[in-house]
Amino acid sequence: MSLFLDQFTTTIPAMRVRFGAGVRHKVGEEMDALGLKRTLILTTPQQADTGAEFATLLGPRAAGLFPKAAMHTPTAISEEATALALQLGADCVLAIGGGSTTGLGKAIALRTDLPQIVIPTTYAGSEATGILGQTEYGRKTTITTPKVQPEVILYDAELVRTLPVAMTVTSALNAMAHATEGLYAQNRSPLTTLMAIEGLRAFRDALPRVRDNPDDLTARGETLYGAWLCGTVLGTVGMAVHHKLCHTLGGSFDLPHAETHSVILPHAVAYNEQAAAQELAPITEIFGGPTPGQALHAFAVRMQAPLALRDLGMKEGDLDRATEIALQNAYWNPRPVQSGALRQLLQAAWSGDAPRA
Ligand code: NAD
């Protein structure tokens, strides 16, 4: 497959990345390099103990710990955390966790311009983007601005080791969805395509090893490398029907984020595989299989990922409404997004059938 494009324009986000098992111990060094003195540490309630370990590690550089990050970045929590950061005189934030915690750090940066250091513990990829999704009164809105792009990312395989296997798999498929849609993005460049292919390869090679042995730090490191690449693709190009469907199902039907990505991915790819045949060719090259959708479905089966929306709590009677909502403000997609075809896609995803060739 040729990466050559006649024309392209690309803006690659500026970020400093440090990588390696144990690299979390360099947080203080990174703060010093940026002239930062006091950080507010952010985690979810479930990861508060990890936050407390960082408070000990950082000593006087830790201004405080706010362990209340929540899924979809509710604005009330962001405002409470922002007020605390200002009250404590924090000059930066340290987010340790998945996309929810990174989202809280971004929400504080949006309100205060405080620099962000992120230590990701899932593969969601939010740390590599200038995108923030927030919820207020049950409504999710997304903004894209360099103001929320984190300054420093520390990828430490030792911290992702505790991610339970089921979440490891769905989070990896979430990351792979960014790369897959990046392959056919309208504003892709040869560099984003290279990153997408390399990210997908990293997950193909390392995820089965992590499944077999979640403590395998080398394999965990390779999956984090994949997450960085896939997240950078997400932060650089536009997403299409797959992400639109996942935002619809998460936002309006409260389906879980990473699991929904896992279920939808093979079906969204099958939807686009004729319109973007050349762009999706790397998927069958990397994963084998007769078609890109079937190749990703087979990988998901092998990884024992969830396969059906009905198993995530989606009601069959809601599929018509989901189709209607997904058609509103549709994102650009290689194949026109049509009501009947989208409804069929959702039906197949609801049942958990393999996508048809
Ligand atoms: P998450 O951050 O909500 O984490 C899920 C749960 O797993 C939490 O309880 C968390 O504490 C726990 N957890 C995380 N890492 C762990 C570890 N290593 N060990 C044990 N437990 C761990 O889940 P997520 O899938 O990473 O993020 C989802 C959120 O991120 C969604 O709100 C989504 O919209 C957002 N997101 C945003 C972007 C962006 O670019 N803005 C990109 C991807 C995801």
Side-chain angles (χ1 to χ4, degrees):
M1 183 213 155
S2 166
L3 297 177
F4 182 77
L5 295 173
D6 289 341
Q7 287 187 18
F8 63 87
T9 304
T10 190
T11 306
I12 305 292
M15 57 183 128
R16 175 170 165 82
V17 173
R18 288 186 77 167
F19 200 92
V23 78
R24 66 186 179 283
H25 296 287
K26 306 290 184 193
V27 181
E29 212 176 88
E30 290 301 314
M31 286 177 66
D32 290 347
L34 292 172
L36 301 168
K37 305 266 181 263
R38 282 164 65 74
T39 188
L40 179 62
I41 300 169
L42 310 172
T43 66
T44 59
Q46 294 82 0
Q47 290 178 287
D49 288 352
T50 309
E53 283 167 28
F54 274 88
T56 306
L57 176 74
L58 287 170
R61 291 191 185 103
L65 169 62
F66 184 85
K68 295 192 201 169
M71 188 72 105
H72 304 313
T73 327
T75 50
I77 292 181
S78 303
E79 262 137 41
E80 189 187 336
T82 303
L84 181 66
L86 296 175
Q87 185 200 323
L88 294 172
D91 58 8
C92 62
V93 294
L94 170 63
I96 307 149
S100 297
T101 308
T102 305
L104 176 60
K106 288 177 169 182
I108 298 172
L110 182 72
R111 290 162 173 80
T112 60
D113 267 334
L114 289 184
Q116 306 163 66
I117 301 176
V118 183
I119 306 191
T121 65
T122 72
Y123 309 123
S126 175
E127 67 281 357
T129 82
I131 307 167
L132 169 64
Q134 314 189 81
T135 41
E136 188 166 28
Y137 308 118
R139 219 170 66 87
K140 184 158 181 172
T141 51
T142 302
I143 50 170
T144 302
T145 162
K147 269 179 88 130
V148 304
Q149 181 88 41
E151 278 72 8
V152 178
I153 313 171
L154 303 181
Y155 285 107
D156 187 335
E158 287 172 7
L159 287 183
V160 84
R161 187 162 50 173
T162 52
L163 191 65
V165 169
M167 275 175 63
T168 294
V169 168
T170 53
S171 192
L173 285 159
N174 180 192
M176 288 165 56
H178 309 327
T180 303
E181 290 228 293
L183 288 174
Y184 50 60
Q186 215 176 9
N187 58 346
R188 70 188 182 279
S189 74
L191 184 59
T192 57
T193 299
L194 279 173
M195 288 192 288
I197 291 172
E198 178 71 354
L200 290 165
R201 275 202 195 116
F203 280 114
R204 176 203 61 190
D205 291 345
L207 191 60
R209 283 157 46 221
V210 171
R211 250 214 88 85
D212 289 348
N213 178 10
D215 287 328
D216 179 339
L217 278 184
T218 307
R220 283 286 188 189
E222 283 174 47
T223 49
L224 271 182
Y225 169 60
W228 171 44
L229 292 166
C230 295
T232 306
V233 172
L234 173 69
T236 310
V237 301
M239 295 288 115
V241 71
H242 168 85
H243 279 74
K244 179 67 186 185
L245 281 172
C246 294
H247 293 163
T248 301
L249 295 167
S252 302
F253 299 91
D254 215 20
L255 294 199
H257 178 80
E259 290 88 336
T260 305
H261 275 272
S262 298
V263 170
I264 294 292
L265 181 61
H267 299 282
V269 166
Y271 187 93
N272 283 328
E273 64 196 9
Q274 282 183 14
Q278 198 198 339
E279 292 84 351
L280 284 169
I283 299 284
T284 42
E285 283 163 24
I286 295 168
F287 293 96
T291 66
Q294 289 176 355
L296 288 170
H297 180 80
F299 185 69
V301 169
R302 213 178 123 216
M303 293 300 102
Q304 298 171 39
L307 299 173
L309 290 179
R310 66 173 155 195
D311 296 339
L312 306 183
M314 183 79 187
K315 295 193 190 77
E316 191 172 19
D318 279 337
L319 294 179
D320 285 342
R321 199 157 61 89
T323 307
E324 271 169 41
I325 298 174
L327 284 166
Q328 291 162 15
N329 308 315
Y331 304 168
W332 177 88
N333 191 62
R335 173 181 169 192
V337 181
Q338 290 152 345
S339 172
L342 200 61
R343 179 66 178 76
Q344 274 178 14
L345 183 170
L346 282 174
Q347 187 70 41
W350 184 82
S351 310
D353 300 338
R356 275 191 246 134

